[in-house]
Amino acid sequence: MAEAQSSRQDPRRWKKKQPVRRRVSQICPPPRRPLTVADIRPGMENERLGVVRDSMFQNPLIVKAELGKPRERSCTLPGIDFNYGLYVRGLDGGVPEALGHWNVFRQQPTCPHELTRNYIAMNRGAVKAGLVTARENFLYRQLNDIRISDQDDRHIKKEMPSLPPNMTFGVVARPSTPFFDLLQHRYQQLWVQEQKATQKAIKLEKKHKVILGKLYETRSSQLRKYKPPVKLDALWHMPQFQKVPPHLDTFFTEADRQRAIKAHQEEHAVRQGTLRMGNYTHP
């Protein structure tokens, strides 16, 4: 019973444990320093025979990496208390200095540099003076050494064009697609109208075309069109078959038959064979 009362009265029993604070050197240990002769133990990778010096362990081409350990660096590093980086001294004075003073940045003086020669102006002056040879141009440049000034602000002093106050800059938006014209085939109709107008203009041009001279028929042209008459001989028939009508007629009407006979008679003169029903004589 006494132990239970003592545990209730002891406030340290229910108090939360404070986290253990570690130093920076414990969280980020310093880099490993280079090996020395005193650090070498029997069985290590860097154990050597003969004369051994500390400078041997500072050569990265000789030092070997130990098994299960990072490679030793060959350069010597300062101690644990050394701070790496640039130390900035607080010379600004803080907030009172910023409110009470105004430090103006002073431009650093630039080193003078040689100006570029203005060959265009020198050549123009030499031509105006009547100097054309290389020797004369060289002497003229020695006497009149014209340089291009750095303060030449002609491109800055150029007046800008006056623009209207309501001008909008940028790229003009593309007009919307005429969907109604596409659905109604408006462009096809316009193209058909243009083609009809073009054909009509061509016909009018041909109609109003002036014939320069009259064509006359020559003897050669008349002979070319002339068709010599063909004497038609009656077909020979046996006496017993002279009055027998044909049993087969391939023409629908008598007019078709007469047209076919007429065409055959017109081509009779230029065909080959006994009945003049073969190929043409001319190619």
Side-chain angles (χ1 to χ4, degrees):
M1 191 69 179
E3 292 180 1
Q5 292 179 358
S6 61
S7 61
R8 292 175 184 174
Q9 294 176 1
D10 190 4
R12 292 178 298 175
R13 183 183 179 96
W14 309 103
K15 208 179 260 189
K16 189 176 182 181
K17 292 184 179 180
Q18 297 292 336
V20 179
R21 297 186 179 274
R22 295 183 297 174
R23 294 178 298 177
V24 178
S25 60
Q26 295 176 350
I27 300 173
C28 300
R32 305 188 67 182
R33 58 185 179 82
L35 289 174
T36 57
V37 179
D39 298 333
I40 302 300
R41 298 288 183 270
M44 296 180 66
E45 293 287 343
N46 293 290
E47 184 182 5
R48 299 182 179 279
L49 300 176
V51 180
V52 182
R53 299 182 298 276
D54 290 340
S55 60
M56 293 181 178
F57 302 104
Q58 298 178 3
N59 190 348
L61 301 178
I62 300 177
V63 177
K64 299 179 181 179
E66 297 290 340
L67 182 62
K69 295 182 181 180
R71 181 183 293 275
E72 301 285 347
R73 298 295 93 188
S74 301
C75 55
T76 57
L77 301 176
I80 301 175
D81 299 334
F82 180 78
N83 296 324
Y84 294 89
L86 179 64
Y87 181 74
V88 180
R89 299 182 180 274
L91 299 178
D92 54 353
V95 177
E97 187 73 16
L99 295 176
H101 299 80
W102 186 262
N103 296 328
V104 181
F105 176 76
R106 296 180 181 179
Q107 186 177 4
Q108 298 293 334
T110 57
C111 57
H113 61 279
E114 186 178 1
L115 301 178
T116 309
R117 277 188 168 187
N118 193 349
Y119 290 97
I120 298 176
M122 289 189 290
N123 293 342
R124 188 188 305 112
V127 171
K128 290 181 180 179
L131 308 176
V132 292
T133 61
R135 177 66 179 173
E136 292 173 351
N137 277 277
F138 177 74
L139 295 176
Y140 181 83
R141 291 175 184 177
Q142 294 293 330
L143 296 176
N144 302 277
D145 191 6
I146 304 175
R147 302 282 178 168
I148 300 176
S149 177
D150 290 343
Q151 300 178 357
D152 189 5
D153 299 336
R154 288 179 294 179
H155 61 284
I156 300 177
K157 295 179 181 179
K158 184 178 179 181
E159 296 182 359
M160 299 296 295
S162 59
L163 300 175
N166 57 350
M167 181 177 179
T168 304
F169 297 89
V171 182
V172 181
R174 184 179 66 85
S176 59
T177 304
F179 288 102
F180 291 100
D181 294 343
L182 293 175
L183 296 175
Q184 296 174 1
H185 303 284
R186 178 63 179 171
Y187 298 103
Q188 179 183 358
Q189 297 174 4
L190 293 175
W191 182 82
V192 171
Q193 294 177 4
E194 291 178 359
Q195 295 299 321
K196 290 182 179 180
T198 304
Q199 292 177 2
K200 187 175 181 181
I202 293 173
K203 288 181 180 179
L204 291 174
E205 184 179 358
K206 289 182 178 180
K207 184 177 180 180
H208 296 290
K209 190 174 182 180
V210 180
I211 300 175
L212 299 178
K214 186 179 180 181
L215 300 177
Y216 293 93
E217 292 287 344
T218 60
R219 184 175 178 81
S220 299
S221 61
Q222 292 176 357
L223 291 174
R224 192 179 301 112
K225 297 179 181 179
Y226 175 72
K227 295 180 180 180
V230 180
K231 185 179 180 181
L232 298 177
D233 296 334
L235 299 176
W236 180 82
H237 296 280
M238 296 179 67
Q240 61 269 25
F241 297 110
Q242 288 182 358
K243 297 182 180 180
V244 178
H247 295 281
L248 180 64
D249 191 1
T250 57
F251 297 98
F252 292 101
T253 60
E254 184 64 22
D256 296 339
R257 182 174 179 276
Q258 294 299 330
R259 282 197 299 270
I261 292 174
K262 184 180 179 181
H264 175 69
Q265 291 176 356
E266 291 178 354
E267 298 179 357
H268 192 271
V270 295
R271 284 183 176 271
Q272 296 178 352
T274 306
L275 301 178
R276 301 295 180 179
M277 300 180 64
N279 297 332
Y280 292 94
T281 55
H282 58 81

Coordinates of all heavy atoms in Angstrom, one line a residue, residues 104-160:
V104 N 24.6 55.0 -51.6 CA 24.5 55.0 -53.1 C 25.6 54.3 -53.7 O 26.8 54.4 -53.4 CB 24.4 56.5 -53.6 CG1 24.2 56.5 -55.1 CG2 23.3 57.3 -52.9
F105 N 25.2 53.4 -54.7 CA 26.2 52.7 -55.4 C 27.0 53.6 -56.3 O 26.4 54.3 -57.1 CB 25.6 51.5 -56.2 CG 26.6 50.7 -57.0 CD1 27.4 49.8 -56.4 CD2 26.6 50.9 -58.4 CE1 28.3 49.1 -57.2 CE2 27.5 50.2 -59.1 CZ 28.4 49.3 -58.5
R106 N 28.3 53.5 -56.2 CA 29.2 54.3 -57.1 C 29.8 53.4 -58.2 O 30.3 52.3 -57.9 CB 30.3 54.9 -56.2 CG 29.9 55.9 -55.2 CD 31.0 56.5 -54.4 NE 30.5 57.4 -53.4 CZ 31.4 58.0 -52.5 NH1 32.7 57.8 -52.6 NH2 30.9 58.8 -51.6
Q107 N 29.7 53.9 -59.4 CA 30.2 53.2 -60.5 C 31.7 53.1 -60.5 O 32.4 54.1 -60.3 CB 29.7 53.8 -61.8 CG 30.0 53.0 -63.0 CD 29.5 53.6 -64.3 OE1 28.9 54.7 -64.2 NE2 29.6 53.0 -65.4
Q108 N 32.2 51.9 -60.7 CA 33.6 51.7 -60.7 C 34.2 52.3 -62.0 O 33.6 52.1 -63.1 CB 34.0 50.2 -60.6 CG 33.5 49.6 -59.3 CD 34.2 50.2 -58.1 OE1 35.4 50.6 -58.2 NE2 33.6 50.1 -56.9
P109 N 35.3 53.0 -61.9 CA 36.0 53.5 -63.1 C 36.4 52.3 -64.0 O 37.0 51.4 -63.6 CB 37.1 54.3 -62.6 CG 37.5 53.7 -61.3 CD 36.2 53.2 -60.7
T110 N 36.1 52.5 -65.3 CA 36.5 51.5 -66.3 C 37.8 51.8 -66.9 O 38.2 53.0 -67.0 CB 35.4 51.4 -67.4 OG1 35.2 52.6 -68.0 CG2 34.1 50.9 -66.8
C111 N 38.5 50.8 -67.3 CA 39.8 51.0 -67.9 C 39.7 51.5 -69.3 O 38.8 51.0 -70.1 CB 40.7 49.7 -67.9 SG 39.8 48.4 -68.7
P112 N 40.4 52.5 -69.7 CA 40.3 53.0 -71.1 C 40.7 52.0 -72.1 O 41.7 51.3 -71.9 CB 41.2 54.3 -71.1 CG 42.2 54.0 -70.0 CD 41.5 53.2 -69.0
H113 N 40.0 51.9 -73.2 CA 40.3 51.0 -74.3 C 40.4 51.8 -75.6 O 39.8 52.8 -75.8 CB 39.3 49.9 -74.4 CG 37.9 50.4 -74.7 ND1 37.1 50.9 -73.7 CD2 37.2 50.4 -75.9 CE1 35.9 51.2 -74.3 NE2 36.0 51.0 -75.6
E114 N 41.2 51.2 -76.5 CA 41.4 51.9 -77.8 C 40.1 51.8 -78.6 O 39.5 50.7 -78.8 CB 42.5 51.2 -78.5 CG 42.9 51.9 -79.8 CD 44.1 51.2 -80.4 OE1 44.6 50.2 -79.9 OE2 44.6 51.7 -81.5
L115 N 39.8 52.9 -79.2 CA 38.6 53.0 -80.1 C 38.9 52.4 -81.4 O 40.0 52.4 -81.9 CB 38.1 54.4 -80.2 CG 37.7 55.1 -78.9 CD1 37.3 56.6 -79.2 CD2 36.6 54.4 -78.2
T116 N 37.8 51.9 -82.1 CA 38.0 51.3 -83.4 C 38.1 52.4 -84.5 O 37.4 53.4 -84.4 CB 36.8 50.4 -83.7 OG1 36.6 49.5 -82.6 CG2 37.0 49.6 -85.0
R117 N 38.9 52.1 -85.5 CA 39.1 53.1 -86.5 C 37.8 53.1 -87.4 O 37.2 52.1 -87.7 CB 40.3 52.7 -87.4 CG 41.6 53.3 -86.8 CD 42.7 53.0 -87.8 NE 43.9 53.7 -87.5 CZ 45.0 53.8 -88.2 NH1 45.0 53.2 -89.4 NH2 46.1 54.5 -87.9
N118 N 37.5 54.3 -87.9 CA 36.4 54.5 -88.8 C 36.9 54.5 -90.2 O 37.2 55.6 -90.8 CB 35.6 55.8 -88.5 CG 34.3 55.9 -89.2 OD1 34.0 55.1 -90.1 ND2 33.4 56.8 -88.8
Y119 N 37.1 53.3 -90.8 CA 37.7 53.3 -92.2 C 36.7 53.8 -93.2 O 37.2 54.3 -94.3 CB 38.0 51.8 -92.5 CG 39.1 51.2 -91.7 CD1 38.9 50.5 -90.5 CD2 40.4 51.5 -92.0 CE1 39.9 50.0 -89.7 CE2 41.5 51.0 -91.3 CZ 41.2 50.2 -90.1 OH 42.2 49.7 -89.4
I120 N 35.4 53.8 -93.0 CA 34.5 54.3 -94.0 C 34.7 55.8 -94.1 O 34.8 56.4 -95.3 CB 33.1 54.0 -93.6 CG1 32.9 52.5 -93.6 CG2 32.1 54.6 -94.6 CD1 31.5 52.0 -93.1
A121 N 34.8 56.5 -93.0 CA 35.0 58.0 -93.1 C 36.4 58.3 -93.6 O 36.5 59.3 -94.4 CB 34.8 58.6 -91.7
M122 N 37.4 57.6 -93.3 CA 38.7 57.9 -93.8 C 38.8 57.6 -95.3 O 39.4 58.4 -96.0 CB 39.8 57.0 -93.0 CG 40.0 57.5 -91.6 SD 41.4 56.7 -90.8 CE 40.8 55.1 -90.6
N123 N 38.2 56.5 -95.8 CA 38.2 56.3 -97.2 C 37.4 57.3 -98.0 O 37.8 57.7 -99.1 CB 37.6 54.9 -97.5 CG 38.5 53.8 -96.9 OD1 39.7 54.0 -96.7 ND2 37.9 52.6 -96.8
R124 N 36.3 57.8 -97.4 CA 35.5 58.8 -98.1 C 36.3 60.1 -98.2 O 36.4 60.8 -99.2 CB 34.3 59.1 -97.3 CG 33.3 60.0 -98.0 CD 32.1 60.4 -97.1 NE 31.4 59.2 -96.6 CZ 31.4 58.8 -95.4 NH1 32.0 59.5 -94.4 NH2 30.7 57.8 -95.0
G125 N 37.0 60.5 -97.1 CA 37.9 61.7 -97.1 C 39.0 61.6 -98.1 O 39.4 62.6 -98.7
A126 N 39.6 60.4 -98.2 CA 40.7 60.2 -99.1 C 40.3 60.3 -100.6 O 41.0 60.9 -101.4 CB 41.4 58.8 -98.9
V127 N 39.1 59.8 -100.9 CA 38.6 59.9 -102.3 C 38.3 61.4 -102.6 O 38.5 61.9 -103.7 CB 37.3 59.0 -102.4 CG1 36.7 59.3 -103.7 CG2 37.7 57.6 -102.3
K128 N 37.7 62.1 -101.6 CA 37.4 63.5 -101.9 C 38.7 64.3 -102.0 O 38.7 65.3 -102.8 CB 36.6 64.1 -100.7 CG 35.2 63.6 -100.6 CD 34.4 64.2 -99.4 CE 33.0 63.7 -99.4 NZ 32.2 64.3 -98.2
A129 N 39.8 63.9 -101.4 CA 41.0 64.6 -101.5 C 41.8 64.2 -102.8 O 42.8 64.8 -103.1 CB 41.9 64.4 -100.3
G130 N 41.3 63.2 -103.5 CA 42.0 62.8 -104.8 C 43.1 61.8 -104.6 O 43.9 61.6 -105.4
L131 N 43.1 61.1 -103.4 CA 44.1 60.1 -103.1 C 43.5 58.7 -103.5 O 42.5 58.3 -103.0 CB 44.5 60.1 -101.7 CG 44.9 61.5 -101.1 CD1 45.2 61.5 -99.7 CD2 46.1 62.1 -101.9
V132 N 44.3 58.0 -104.4 CA 43.8 56.7 -104.8 C 44.7 55.5 -104.6 O 44.3 54.4 -104.5 CB 43.4 56.8 -106.3 CG1 42.2 57.7 -106.6 CG2 44.6 57.3 -107.2
T133 N 46.0 55.8 -104.5 CA 47.0 54.7 -104.3 C 47.1 54.3 -102.9 O 46.6 55.0 -102.0 CB 48.4 55.2 -104.8 OG1 48.8 56.3 -104.0 CG2 48.4 55.6 -106.3
A134 N 47.7 53.1 -102.7 CA 47.8 52.6 -101.3 C 48.7 53.4 -100.4 O 48.4 53.6 -99.3 CB 48.3 51.1 -101.4
R135 N 49.8 54.0 -101.0 CA 50.7 54.8 -100.3 C 50.0 56.1 -99.8 O 50.2 56.5 -98.7 CB 51.9 55.1 -101.1 CG 52.9 56.0 -100.5 CD 53.6 55.4 -99.3 NE 54.6 56.3 -98.7 CZ 55.2 56.0 -97.5 NH1 54.9 54.9 -96.9 NH2 56.1 56.9 -97.0
E136 N 49.3 56.7 -100.7 CA 48.6 57.9 -100.4 C 47.5 57.7 -99.3 O 47.3 58.5 -98.4 CB 47.9 58.5 -101.6 CG 49.0 59.0 -102.6 CD 48.3 59.4 -103.9 OE1 47.1 59.2 -104.1 OE2 49.0 60.0 -104.8
N137 N 46.8 56.6 -99.4 CA 45.8 56.3 -98.4 C 46.4 56.0 -97.0 O 45.9 56.4 -96.0 CB 45.0 55.0 -98.8 CG 43.8 55.4 -99.7 OD1 42.8 55.7 -99.3 ND2 44.1 55.2 -101.0
F138 N 47.6 55.4 -97.0 CA 48.3 55.1 -95.7 C 48.7 56.4 -95.1 O 48.6 56.6 -93.9 CB 49.5 54.2 -96.0 CG 50.4 54.0 -94.8 CD1 49.9 53.1 -93.8 CD2 51.6 54.6 -94.6 CE1 50.7 52.9 -92.7 CE2 52.4 54.4 -93.5 CZ 51.9 53.5 -92.5
L139 N 49.3 57.4 -95.9 CA 49.7 58.7 -95.3 C 48.5 59.5 -94.9 O 48.5 60.1 -93.8 CB 50.5 59.4 -96.4 CG 51.8 58.8 -96.8 CD1 52.5 59.6 -97.9 CD2 52.8 58.7 -95.6
Y140 N 47.4 59.4 -95.6 CA 46.2 60.1 -95.2 C 45.7 59.6 -93.9 O 45.2 60.3 -93.0 CB 45.1 60.0 -96.3 CG 43.9 60.7 -96.0 CD1 43.8 62.1 -96.2 CD2 42.8 60.1 -95.4 CE1 42.6 62.8 -95.9 CE2 41.6 60.8 -95.1 CZ 41.5 62.1 -95.4 OH 40.4 62.8 -95.1
R141 N 45.7 58.3 -93.7 CA 45.2 57.7 -92.4 C 46.1 58.0 -91.2 O 45.7 58.2 -90.1 CB 45.1 56.2 -92.5 CG 44.0 55.7 -93.5 CD 44.0 54.2 -93.7 NE 42.9 53.8 -94.6 CZ 42.7 52.6 -95.0 NH1 43.5 51.6 -94.5 NH2 41.8 52.3 -95.9
Q142 N 47.4 58.2 -91.5 CA 48.3 58.6 -90.5 C 48.0 60.1 -90.0 O 48.1 60.4 -88.8 CB 49.8 58.5 -90.9 CG 50.2 57.1 -91.2 CD 50.3 56.2 -89.9 OE1 50.6 56.8 -88.9 NE2 50.0 54.9 -90.1
L143 N 47.7 60.9 -91.0 CA 47.4 62.3 -90.6 C 46.0 62.5 -90.1 O 45.8 63.4 -89.2 CB 47.6 63.2 -91.9 CG 49.1 63.2 -92.4 CD1 49.2 64.1 -93.7 CD2 50.0 63.8 -91.3
N144 N 45.0 61.8 -90.6 CA 43.6 61.9 -90.2 C 43.1 60.6 -89.6 O 42.5 59.8 -90.3 CB 42.8 62.3 -91.4 CG 43.2 63.6 -92.1 OD1 42.9 64.7 -91.7 ND2 44.0 63.4 -93.1
D145 N 43.5 60.4 -88.4 CA 43.1 59.2 -87.7 C 41.7 59.4 -87.1 O 41.6 60.0 -86.0 CB 44.1 58.8 -86.6 CG 43.9 57.4 -86.1 OD1 43.0 56.7 -86.6 OD2 44.6 57.0 -85.1
I146 N 40.7 58.9 -87.7 CA 39.3 59.0 -87.3 C 38.9 57.8 -86.5 O 39.0 56.6 -87.1 CB 38.3 59.3 -88.5 CG1 38.8 60.6 -89.2 CG2 36.9 59.5 -88.0 CD1 38.0 60.8 -90.5
R147 N 38.3 57.9 -85.4 CA 37.9 56.8 -84.5 C 36.3 56.8 -84.4 O 35.7 57.9 -84.5 CB 38.5 56.8 -83.2 CG 40.0 56.8 -83.2 CD 40.6 55.5 -83.5 NE 42.0 55.5 -83.6 CZ 42.8 54.3 -83.6 NH1 42.2 53.2 -83.5 NH2 44.1 54.4 -83.7
I148 N 35.8 55.6 -84.1 CA 34.4 55.5 -83.8 C 34.1 55.8 -82.4 O 34.7 55.1 -81.5 CB 33.8 54.1 -84.2 CG1 34.1 53.9 -85.7 CG2 32.4 54.0 -83.9 CD1 33.7 52.5 -86.2
S149 N 33.3 56.8 -82.1 CA 33.0 57.1 -80.7 C 32.0 56.1 -80.0 O 31.1 55.6 -80.7 CB 32.4 58.5 -80.7 OG 32.0 58.9 -79.3
D150 N 32.3 55.9 -78.7 CA 31.4 55.0 -78.0 C 30.1 55.7 -77.7 O 29.1 55.0 -77.3 CB 32.1 54.6 -76.7 CG 33.2 53.6 -76.9 OD1 33.3 53.1 -78.1 OD2 34.1 53.4 -76.0
Q151 N 30.0 57.0 -77.7 CA 28.8 57.7 -77.4 C 28.0 58.1 -78.6 O 27.2 59.0 -78.6 CB 29.2 59.0 -76.7 CG 30.0 58.8 -75.4 CD 30.4 60.1 -74.7 OE1 30.1 61.2 -75.3 NE2 31.0 60.0 -73.6
D152 N 28.1 57.3 -79.6 CA 27.3 57.5 -80.8 C 26.0 56.8 -80.6 O 25.8 55.6 -80.7 CB 28.0 56.8 -82.0 CG 27.4 57.2 -83.3 OD1 26.4 58.0 -83.3 OD2 27.8 56.7 -84.4
D153 N 25.0 57.7 -80.3 CA 23.6 57.2 -80.0 C 22.7 57.5 -81.1 O 21.5 57.9 -80.9 CB 23.1 57.8 -78.7 CG 24.0 57.5 -77.5 OD1 24.7 56.4 -77.6 OD2 24.1 58.2 -76.5
R154 N 23.1 57.4 -82.3 CA 22.2 57.7 -83.5 C 21.0 56.7 -83.5 O 19.9 57.1 -83.9 CB 23.0 57.7 -84.8 CG 23.9 58.9 -84.9 CD 24.6 58.8 -86.3 NE 25.5 57.7 -86.3 CZ 26.3 57.3 -87.3 NH1 26.2 58.1 -88.4 NH2 27.1 56.3 -87.3
H155 N 21.3 55.5 -83.2 CA 20.2 54.5 -83.2 C 19.2 54.7 -82.1 O 18.1 54.3 -82.2 CB 20.8 53.1 -83.2 CG 21.6 52.8 -81.9 ND1 22.8 53.3 -81.7 CD2 21.2 52.1 -80.8 CE1 23.3 52.9 -80.5 NE2 22.3 52.2 -79.9
I156 N 19.7 55.4 -81.0 CA 18.8 55.7 -79.9 C 18.0 57.0 -80.2 O 16.8 57.1 -79.8 CB 19.6 55.8 -78.6 CG1 20.3 54.4 -78.3 CG2 18.6 56.2 -77.4 CD1 21.1 54.4 -77.1
K157 N 18.7 58.0 -80.8 CA 18.0 59.3 -81.0 C 17.0 59.2 -82.2 O 16.4 60.2 -82.5 CB 19.1 60.3 -81.4 CG 20.1 60.6 -80.2 CD 21.1 61.6 -80.6 CE 22.1 61.9 -79.4 NZ 23.1 62.8 -79.8
K158 N 17.0 58.1 -82.9 CA 16.0 58.0 -84.0 C 14.6 58.1 -83.5 O 14.2 57.4 -82.5 CB 16.2 56.7 -84.7 CG 15.4 56.6 -86.0 CD 15.6 55.3 -86.7 CE 14.8 55.1 -87.9 NZ 15.0 53.8 -88.6
E159 N 13.8 59.0 -84.1 CA 12.5 59.2 -83.7 C 11.6 58.0 -84.0 O 11.7 57.4 -85.1 CB 11.9 60.4 -84.3 CG 12.6 61.7 -83.9 CD 12.0 62.9 -84.6 OE1 11.0 62.7 -85.3 OE2 12.5 64.1 -84.3
M160 N 10.8 57.6 -83.0 CA 9.9 56.5 -83.2 C 8.7 56.9 -84.0 O 8.3 58.1 -83.9 CB 9.5 55.9 -81.8 CG 10.6 55.4 -81.0 SD 11.4 54.0 -81.8 CE 10.1 52.8 -81.7

